[in-house]
Amino acid sequence: MRAMKKLLAHLKDRIAELGKSREEGRKVIGYIPGGYMPEEIALACKAIPIGWIHGGDYSMVELAEPYICHWMDTFCRAKIGYGVSGKDPYFNIMDLLVVPMTDNHIRAVMDVLAYNTDIDIFPYGVPHTKDDCAFAYYLDGLVRLKSRLEELTGVELTDSSLREAILLCNRERDLFRKISLMRKMGQVPLNSEDFVFLNHASFLAEKDLMVEVLESLYNELRAQEAPPQEDPRILLTGSTLALGDNKIHEIVKKAGGTIVIEEFAEGIRPYWENVNTDGNLMESLAECYFSRRVAPAWFRPGRERLDFLVKLAIEFNVSGVIWYHLMFRESYKIESYYFPEILRKQTGLPVIVVESDYSPNEMGSLQTRIEAFIEMVRE
Amino acid sequence: MDDYYDELLEVCGFTVEEIDQERYRIEKAFRKLELGPEDMARAVTWVSYNHDVELAGVRMMLGIWLKELIDLVLAKDEGKKLVYFGFPTIPGPAAAIAASTDELFCTSPETVLCYTMGQIFNKLTPILEEGENNGLPAGHGLCSLQQIRVGGMAKKIIPVPDLVLTSSYFCDMGSKTDELLHEKYAHPAVYVDGSMDSRWGEYPDYLPQRVDFLGAQIEKIFDQVKEVVGVEIGEEARYEGASRGHQIFSALSELVDLMKDADPQPISIVEAELARRLTNGSASRRVITEGPQAIRLLNQEVRKRVQNGMGISKKGAPRVMILMAHFSDPGIMHMIENAGLSIPVALHSVVQAKVRKRTPFISGEILAEREMGFGAFHGTYGFIRGAVDAIKTLNLDGVIWNYLYNCRPIAITSHLLKQVVEKETGIPVLSLEMDLYDSRSYSAEALRTRVEAFAEMLRVK
């Protein structure tokens, strides 16, 4: 696929390119990739948004040990490891780290890095309910973020620049949605590894180029005849799927399963909803990113997401669900106890719950369990 | 005629008349709790060994907790509306709810179980195990306080409530556990939202929007209590709740003042924290009315000990501050004291006694502002700043930061507090990972070596 090659080449030079952009006066705005940071605000301020998306590396988890106890989420400990070690070029190049505060694990990342590194951090809250005052609080956070970015970049955000950025990001979401929905059919024109890679790449790539790549890819996929797909179709869901955390995909592929849809709180860009371009645009952003987004497990009550997973399982015609969360992310751990029964009652489908601490030692047991699961759903 | 439980109840401050009057209720509750003669004999030994039952104030506090347990277990049978709140964030509104009517029992059931099934009966393990088997498995760093709530309901020793008040701005797990329970029992819940999104260094300042948001969310509690339980929390209850709250905190504040400069340490931190937990571990009418009286009685006895130079530690023993005492196993704090350390205060008692200003009325806005002042609900920096400020004023030799590994807002401070305190004050900190509700894995024996080494280091310093 030509589009993919172009994207890979772009990412290869991305750090150098970002360095050059900074020299030219553009600011690099990093953010925690939990789906609550509207990149549109950064883009409208002529800054470059970068989702801090890397994970999956146990050595980074180990590097966090002198800074935080073991009992925090694995991805968050990895983030601390990346931050304090200076081993992540994307972290090193950020002018600001935006932290939409979803839960205590993300708060830990912010606090540890704030004390132990020189990174400039801008936090704002993501409430856990969807009532009017929660919406107002989230919106207020976005308005403060806008002011902070205007101050940092020296660029005043206008209605027109924001609308332009929204249209660009809407296009990206449209394309992700269209490509994802192609997997609803019997054929799977793009495998999950590639889809997830595209999604991860979109956190790092220049937005115009990313949209261009997605357009080309979508056209390529439409033109090609995908082979019929007979392997068990799997829904993969969980707390965080970071760039570099490929083991579940590898195991499922080896076991003869096909992941046809993914749903994650962190690491997968939400693409189901678009931002309205009428009326107050800041409100429209908050409405799309907060109110209309299917809420992750940190919301209370969190049934919306579980119902959405049932819907995805039916619509994507899956044979089973792999629930993959990282260690100590308690909101997901607790939901993993009662979701299987909800799914079973409504669809009869089975769920396997697997956990990871990014440790290489886990591979054996994960492989055995997932292989057995795929074997079971195949029957 | 004496029954198998009389001796224990007398040790716990019950009068003979009270026991006679309450026999039916006591026996009914103990049957539900599966507490028989053997449990009572063991409890007498356990309580006498671990608590300073010579002190009338201690006996009275133990009695309050035990009566609270009986009231809780029988609440539904006795026709009361039952409201559970989640520790540690909702006691403010709960005090107004408790003050509103006798027909409603408002408490944090897991705290009551810790202070009774743990502190008095040493029989918490079956409840914890039941929690582990019903959605909160062992080995995943899940909160054992929540395991106790889940286990208590699964074992049917605590009733299904009419309403749950739970928050998600401090603790992620409590409200998620309430969702788990809702899936099983379908009882309604009020989720009090908020956001601890302060940046490092922001405390004591805060965005007014935080108070607006949290205040509105707290007010939601009163609306829901009216809608779901049918009890209106009127102005009178809000005044009375505030007044009772003030009385209990004033009494606690006096105790903290008596303890913090005393040498030798007049009573164990176990007893001081028994008093402290009456301020936020439950909020029944009994606790808010009898609690201040019990703490004041204890204060009189402590004052006498201070005047007479009596205490439980050696004079001149190294002084350490802890985060909080163990909720269910008094043996752990005794182990620290037996290592030759004096624990004059626990952090939360000092901070809470300091920030708790008198307010004539309970409202969402007032409580939200108070939460901001209490650093732990402001953010990690506020939490640690509160500790540093306290440490600077307390003439301490060390800090044992006994953080809860399975409580994320506190676990965040595992290393940060040590870094900040040692840098800013030069006082050594032992960062001691433990569980403050369940002592099976973090027992006194498991922790002893580290504590003794730290004590040795402080003595030679």
Side-chain angles (χ1 to χ4, degrees):
Chain A
M1 285 180 278
R2 249 173 301 151
M4 286 290 226
K5 280 185 189 157
K6 187 175 179 182
L7 181 60
L8 283 167
H10 171 66
L11 292 179
K12 202 174 152 206
D13 298 332
R14 187 61 174 144
I15 288 290
E17 213 177 80
L18 287 172
K20 216 182 286 172
S21 298
R22 283 183 86 208
E23 280 168 21
E24 289 162 5
R26 287 183 77 188
K27 300 292 180 189
V28 176
I29 310 300
Y31 64 90
I32 301 287
Y36 285 99
M37 153 71 184
E39 290 177 316
E40 288 92 333
I41 299 176
L43 290 167
C45 290
K46 311 287 178 220
I48 305 167
I50 292 289
W52 199 23
I53 188 72
H54 290 82
D57 182 348
Y58 191 62
S59 68
M60 291 299 140
V61 176
E62 288 178 313
L63 286 173
E65 275 173 18
Y67 300 90
I68 189 92
C69 66
H70 176 68
W71 306 97
M72 307 304 291
D73 169 76
T74 311
F75 174 68
C76 293
R77 277 179 287 140
K79 293 282 89 174
I80 290 170
Y82 282 116
V84 296
S85 66
K87 288 187 176 175
D88 182 349
Y90 284 101
F91 180 77
N92 298 342
I93 212 163
M94 288 172 194
D95 292 291
L96 181 72
L97 175 61
V98 177
V99 181
M101 195 79 76
T102 48
D103 70 353
N104 282 308
H105 300 270
I106 294 298
R107 192 152 69 86
V109 176
M110 181 192 78
D111 290 326
V112 173
L113 294 181
Y115 187 72
N116 290 290
T117 72
D118 294 329
I119 188 81
D120 189 4
I121 296 178
F122 183 85
Y124 62 89
V126 179
H128 295 152
T129 53
K130 282 195 175 180
D131 56 24
D132 290 347
C133 50
F135 175 81
Y137 193 78
Y138 177 74
L139 174 60
D140 182 72
L142 295 192
V143 172
R144 284 187 289 115
L145 172 66
K146 170 182 163 285
S147 304
R148 180 76 182 89
L149 293 186
E150 285 177 329
E151 180 193 88
L152 182 72
T153 59
V155 175
E156 192 187 339
L157 183 148
T158 62
D159 236 30
S160 123
S161 64
L162 186 55
R163 181 168 288 104
E164 197 184 320
I166 290 172
L167 289 171
L168 183 64
C169 292
N170 276 351
R171 187 68 194 135
E172 184 184 49
R173 285 184 282 262
D174 279 338
L175 287 161
F176 270 122
R177 192 164 56 247
K178 281 181 183 172
I179 293 170
S180 184
L181 288 172
M182 289 172 100
R183 303 178 295 175
K184 265 178 142 179
M185 299 178 296
Q187 293 94 337
V188 180
L190 184 74
N191 66 43
S192 179
E193 291 103 305
D194 286 343
F195 183 80
V196 169
F197 168 72
L198 280 172
N199 204 304
H200 285 159
S202 75
F203 287 98
L204 304 171
E206 188 72 40
K207 195 61 70 188
D208 288 314
L209 181 131
M210 189 68 217
V211 169
E212 202 184 298
V213 164
L214 288 170
E215 291 268 14
S216 312
L217 181 73
Y218 177 58
N219 291 330
E220 280 182 53
L221 293 173
R222 276 205 307 175
Q224 78 180 30
E225 179 84 12
Q229 197 282 124
E230 285 166 9
D231 294 335
R233 296 165 63 85
I234 300 294
L235 187 165
L236 176 64
T237 186
S239 55
T240 313
L241 192 62
L243 175 57
D245 185 7
N246 308 320
K247 62 183 170 296
I248 300 296
H249 279 91
E250 284 167 16
I251 294 170
V252 170
K253 192 176 173 184
K254 228 170 153 184
T258 299
I259 295 167
V260 293
I261 183 70
E262 316 77 11
E263 193 281 332
F264 280 84
E266 290 163 344
I268 294 291
R269 172 188 301 284
Y271 53 78
W272 297 105
E273 299 287 335
N274 272 355
V275 180
N276 291 329
T277 48
D278 308 328
N280 182 316
L281 294 179
M282 291 301 288
E283 280 182 20
S284 296
L285 284 172
E287 214 235 328
C288 177
Y289 277 81
F290 181 74
S291 303
R292 279 191 285 128
R293 179 186 174 186
V294 174
W298 4 106
F299 275 60
R300 313 283 189 261
R303 192 59 189 258
E304 182 190 6
R305 180 175 144 275
L306 302 182
D307 292 339
F308 181 63
L309 287 175
V310 172
K311 184 171 165 261
L312 286 179
I314 294 168
E315 289 184 358
F316 280 77
N317 190 26
V318 304
S319 309
V321 174
I322 297 179
W323 179 294
Y324 168 65
H325 61 245
L326 298 179
M327 291 298 284
F328 313 124
R329 206 66 179 264
E330 63 275 69
S331 295
Y332 278 83
K333 178 68 192 167
I334 294 174
E335 282 192 355
S336 75
Y337 178 76
Y338 55 86
F339 175 68
E341 185 59 14
I342 291 172
L343 185 72
R344 193 193 59 76
K345 270 191 186 159
Q346 295 189 44
T347 66
L349 292 171
V351 181
I352 183 173
V353 178
V354 291
E355 294 172 88
S356 170
D357 204 29
Y358 288 166
S359 166
N361 299 336
E362 298 161 348
M363 277 303 275
S365 66
L366 279 176
Q367 195 166 326
T368 308
R369 294 188 62 214
I370 291 173
E371 278 175 359
F373 180 72
I374 302 279
E375 205 48 47
M376 182 192 79
V377 297
R378 195 194 302 279
E379 284 163 11
Chain B
M1 197 178 79
D2 278 5
D3 225 319
Y4 66 93
Y5 46 80
D6 285 36
E7 187 183 357
L8 175 72
L9 266 50
E10 282 170 32
V11 170
C12 293
F14 281 61
T15 62
V16 175
E17 293 73 29
E18 266 178 329
I19 298 171
D20 283 340
Q21 219 167 35
E22 293 283 312
R23 270 191 204 287
Y24 174 75
R25 295 182 75 239
I26 293 165
E27 286 171 16
K28 191 175 174 187
F30 284 177
R31 269 197 306 276
K32 285 197 181 210
L33 289 157
E34 297 171 358
L35 293 170
E38 279 180 22
D39 297 303
M40 296 301 146
R42 193 180 59 242
V44 169
T45 312
W46 174 258
V47 170
S48 307
Y49 183 75
N50 283 297
H51 287 283
D52 207 337
V53 288
E54 273 182 23
L55 299 168
V58 169
R59 292 199 302 275
M60 190 173 174
M61 288 191 296
L62 288 168
I64 291 174
W65 281 114
L66 203 43
K67 287 169 192 166
E68 197 73 356
L69 176 68
I70 295 164
D71 291 345
L72 165 64
V73 169
L74 301 180
K76 295 291 270 190
D77 293 350
E78 294 176 344
K80 299 216 170 180
K81 294 283 187 186
L82 190 55
V83 176
Y84 290 164
F85 70 86
F87 179 87
T89 45
I90 315 279
I97 294 168
S100 64
T101 170
D102 271 340
E103 301 308 307
L104 193 153
F105 187 68
C106 183
T107 191
S108 162
E110 54 276 18
T111 313
V112 175
L113 289 173
C114 278
Y115 276 83
T116 51
M117 296 304 283
Q119 293 255 356
I120 296 175
F121 294 104
N122 189 21
K123 206 183 174 185
L124 205 52
T125 298
I127 300 172
L128 283 158
E129 286 172 348
E130 203 66 16
E132 290 169 350
N133 294 333
N134 281 274
L136 303 181
H140 295 268
L142 297 174
C143 174
S144 40
L145 195 62
Q146 301 306 323
Q147 287 173 332
I148 293 166
R149 178 181 287 209
V150 172
M153 285 174 73
K155 280 179 80 68
K156 297 189 170 66
I157 61 176
I158 58 169
V160 176
D162 295 288
L163 181 66
V164 164
L165 315 176
T166 185
S167 82
S168 67
Y169 61 93
F170 179 68
C171 158
D172 297 308
M173 235 200 97
S175 49
K176 208 68 201 174
T177 301
D178 284 318
E179 277 195 76
L180 168 84
L181 291 169
H182 174 80
E183 288 294 326
K184 190 166 180 183
Y185 303 104
H187 55 283
V190 186
Y191 296 96
V192 177
D193 203 1
S195 185
M196 289 178 56
D197 56 358
S198 47
R199 60 185 161 72
W200 189 263
E202 188 174 342
Y203 180 85
D205 298 334
Y206 56 84
L207 292 169
Q209 296 93 311
R210 282 183 76 180
V211 168
D212 295 345
F213 179 30
L214 182 56
Q217 292 282 320
I218 292 172
E219 282 294 326
K220 197 168 73 175
I221 289 178
F222 300 126
D223 297 341
Q224 287 293 301
V225 169
K226 186 179 174 190
E227 195 180 314
V228 177
V229 189
V231 173
E232 181 153 12
I233 313 301
E235 290 215 345
E236 205 179 314
R238 291 184 184 218
Y239 278 113
E240 195 191 327
S243 161
R244 300 278 182 193
H246 176 70
Q247 287 178 37
I248 204 161
F249 273 96
S250 295
L252 176 74
S253 196
E254 194 186 342
L255 178 62
V256 170
D257 282 342
L258 283 166
M259 292 277 292
K260 71 181 184 193
D261 298 319
D263 186 18
Q265 181 185 332
I267 56 169
S268 167
I269 196 71
V270 168
E271 319 306 355
E273 288 279 279
L274 202 58
R276 138 101 174 130
R277 202 56 59 213
L278 285 172
T279 65
N280 67 356
S282 186
S284 69
R285 186 165 273 254
R286 183 190 301 284
V287 164
I288 63 174
T289 51
E290 296 175 19
Q293 200 188 331
I295 302 174
R296 283 196 289 263
L297 178 59
L298 178 68
N299 290 348
Q300 287 171 17
E301 296 172 301
V302 171
R303 188 171 293 109
K304 253 188 215 162
R305 284 195 179 181
V306 173
Q307 283 162 356
N308 297 334
M310 286 169 63
I312 58 110
S313 64
K314 271 190 186 165
K315 202 168 165 54
R319 291 158 53 85
V320 297
M321 183 179 81
I322 57 163
L323 166 63
M324 281 189 281
H326 205 282
F327 278 47
S328 62
D329 185 349
I332 293 171
M333 293 302 122
H334 289 315
M335 177 273 290
I336 298 175
E337 290 166 341
N338 292 339
L341 297 175
S342 165
I343 314 174
V345 288
L347 172 68
H348 280 321
S349 300
V350 189
V351 174
Q352 202 144 29
K354 187 180 147 199
V355 303
R356 184 86 187 198
K357 291 178 198 142
R358 179 165 199 164
T359 52
F361 192 68
I362 287 176
S363 75
E365 192 186 338
I366 288 170
L367 294 176
E369 270 180 6
R370 186 182 290 164
E371 299 286 67
M372 293 302 113
F374 185 60
F377 299 139
H378 184 288
T380 309
Y381 177 81
F383 192 0
I384 293 175
R385 179 54 41 204
V388 172
D389 292 347
I391 290 162
K392 283 179 178 169
T393 61
L394 282 169
N395 187 26
L396 295 169
D397 298 294
V399 173
I400 294 184
W401 191 245
N402 56 327
Y403 70 89
L404 295 88
Y405 82 101
N406 50 0
C407 174
R408 300 303 173 304
I410 290 176
I412 294 175
T413 66
S414 62
H415 294 47
L416 277 171
L417 182 121
K418 181 178 168 69
Q419 286 179 289
V420 178
V421 170
E422 290 186 345
K423 187 177 173 194
E424 289 196 24
T425 68
I427 290 174
V429 177
L430 171 65
S431 197
L432 188 67
E433 178 174 301
M434 63 184 284
D435 182 334
L436 290 176
Y437 314 112
D438 171 9
S439 55
R440 287 173 301 169
S441 297
Y442 295 83
S443 63
E445 290 314 311
L447 301 168
R448 183 188 301 278
T449 309
R450 297 192 64 203
V451 170
E452 285 182 346
F454 186 65
E456 198 53 43
M457 189 267 287
L458 293 183
R459 269 192 294 273
V460 296
K461 240 184 140 205

